[in-house]
Amino acid sequence: MQKRMDPEQHLDWSLVQTIHAVAEAGTLSAAARTLGLTQPTLGRQVKAAEARLGLTLFHRHARGLVPTDACLALLGPAEEMRAAALRFARTVEGQEGDPSGTVRITASVYVAHFILPEILAEIRRTLPEVQIELAPSDSTDNLLFREADIALRMYRPEQLEVVTRKVADLHIGLYAAESYIARRGLPEGAETFQSHDLIGYDRSDIIIRAMQAHGLQARRSDFAVRCDDQAAYWQLLRAGAGIGAGQCLVGNRDPGLRRVLPEIALQPLPVWLTAHASLRTVPRIRRVYDALTAQLQQLDRDPANR
């Protein structure tokens, strides 16, 4: 390798981004997609970074690039630089006075499918100058690194540098499709509930724990159909595959469904609206955040949400 870089020399930030992205992605092609570059360009940048630093950063293998020990030692400082650069960018954005532009919102797959569309359509009618990107995801997208500008969470986020506010509770009930009821009838009480076809989760134990909290001894094998994807789970319920749990706001509005055992009280889901603290001062994000807050707060007063 070439002589190592003098610590006083300037290191191009784009090369640090390259090192970080390739180490995370494991391949040039995946890192290139992340950075919006071509694979040959990224390959040249990796070689330039190695030459500039005087270090071998990656071992080349048929399946991709593996970070060397030297590279791994650099990832912590690279992450700090990335965070500092994003704070710098947010500070610049915070000075913008233009209310137009794009706002990226992330929410769970279920909420994105069944609750947000009407809300976002109304926001677009009142804020036509704002473009909205909706990212349905059950993973925890990182507001600090701009995977999203605003996030809807069913728990209170603990990240630093975020503004968060509880805006609603979504009540949960048990439902069955009319087609299922015509075939199997209604459970006469909690004691007969488990004799019915139940829809549960595959890997998640949330429903099992909820049933146990009500004195029902449940096992994974007690569920006739299992699915972790929230949207697919709901469609299985609507198709008559069995009795399942869902948000009252959606279930009570569906003419093909009927509430089952309403006397069983299930824990409601809190809705927290979250944005990065510095982005809260960007006009377009502030306006969408406030509009979402107003729309979601109305859900608490909606008779269907009971």
Side-chain angles (χ1 to χ4, degrees):
M1 300 293 294
Q2 296 182 7
K3 181 182 177 181
R4 292 191 178 183
M5 182 187 71
D6 186 316
E8 298 298 322
Q9 286 182 299
H10 170 70
L11 177 62
D12 188 343
W13 163 236
S14 65
L15 297 184
V16 179
Q17 283 183 300
T18 294
I19 296 169
H20 189 275
V22 174
E24 276 197 335
T27 65
L28 287 176
S29 57
R33 288 192 295 271
T34 299
L35 295 176
L37 301 173
T38 65
Q39 184 172 332
T41 297
L42 204 62
R44 289 192 295 271
Q45 288 189 353
V46 169
K47 291 180 180 178
E50 291 182 323
R52 188 70 184 276
L53 296 173
L55 297 170
T56 299
L57 298 174
F58 298 97
H59 297 302
R60 276 71 172 172
H61 294 279
R63 294 185 178 180
L65 301 179
V66 178
T68 63
D69 289 343
C71 181
L72 292 174
L74 295 174
L75 293 183
E79 190 71 28
E80 293 173 5
M81 292 177 68
R82 181 189 183 204
L86 286 167
R87 286 196 297 271
F88 182 90
R90 290 192 193 98
T91 301
V92 172
E93 286 185 322
Q95 312 308 311
E96 294 179 357
D98 188 357
S100 64
T102 299
V103 176
R104 184 173 179 84
I105 301 169
T106 186
S108 71
V109 171
Y110 185 94
V111 169
H113 273 73
F114 299 108
I115 293 180
L116 277 184
E118 288 185 6
I119 291 175
L120 296 183
E122 177 60 27
I123 290 174
R124 279 284 301 138
R125 283 191 284 271
T126 58
L127 301 175
E129 69 279 7
V130 176
Q131 299 173 0
I132 294 175
E133 294 176 351
L134 177 59
S137 174
D138 291 326
S139 65
T140 304
D141 290 332
N142 195 338
L143 291 170
L144 299 181
F145 294 137
R146 290 299 302 274
E147 275 86 356
D149 298 310
I150 299 173
L152 273 74
R153 299 279 188 253
M154 302 306 174
Y155 56 88
R156 182 170 188 167
E158 299 296 335
Q159 289 175 302
L160 299 176
E161 300 183 57
V162 298
V163 173
T164 189
R165 179 178 184 180
K166 185 183 176 184
V167 291
D169 281 313
L170 295 176
H171 291 263
I172 306 297
L174 296 173
Y175 292 88
E178 293 292 349
S179 59
Y180 174 84
I181 295 170
R183 186 174 77 252
R184 292 291 311 276
L186 289 169
E188 298 176 1
E191 63 279 3
T192 65
F193 173 62
Q194 287 179 277
S195 66
H196 278 261
D197 294 341
L198 305 181
I199 306 174
Y201 293 149
D202 181 15
R203 295 180 177 86
S204 171
D205 65 349
I206 293 175
I207 293 179
I208 291 176
R209 287 189 281 110
M211 291 175 66
Q212 290 172 346
H214 285 84
L216 300 173
Q217 296 305 310
R219 301 165 300 173
R220 182 175 179 275
S221 58
D222 292 332
F223 299 103
V225 182
R226 297 182 287 270
C227 179
D228 283 332
D229 183 282
Q230 298 289 312
Y233 177 101
W234 191 248
Q235 295 302 337
L236 286 166
L237 191 155
R238 295 184 72 250
I243 297 173
Q247 295 177 20
C248 297
L249 189 67
V250 180
N252 290 341
R253 290 173 171 174
D254 193 321
L257 299 179
R258 195 185 309 182
R259 184 83 175 266
V260 174
L261 301 176
E263 65 272 18
I264 295 181
L266 300 176
Q267 187 71 27
L269 292 173
V271 181
W272 293 85
L273 196 61
T274 307
H276 191 278
S278 61
L279 289 181
R280 190 72 171 82
T281 62
V282 179
R284 65 180 181 277
I285 296 177
R286 184 175 65 249
R287 295 174 74 191
V288 173
Y289 186 96
D290 291 343
L292 275 170
T293 298
Q295 292 282 335
L296 291 168
Q297 285 177 334
Q298 291 181 22
L299 300 183
D300 267 339
R301 299 186 290 272
D302 193 324
N305 187 28
R306 290 291 184 275

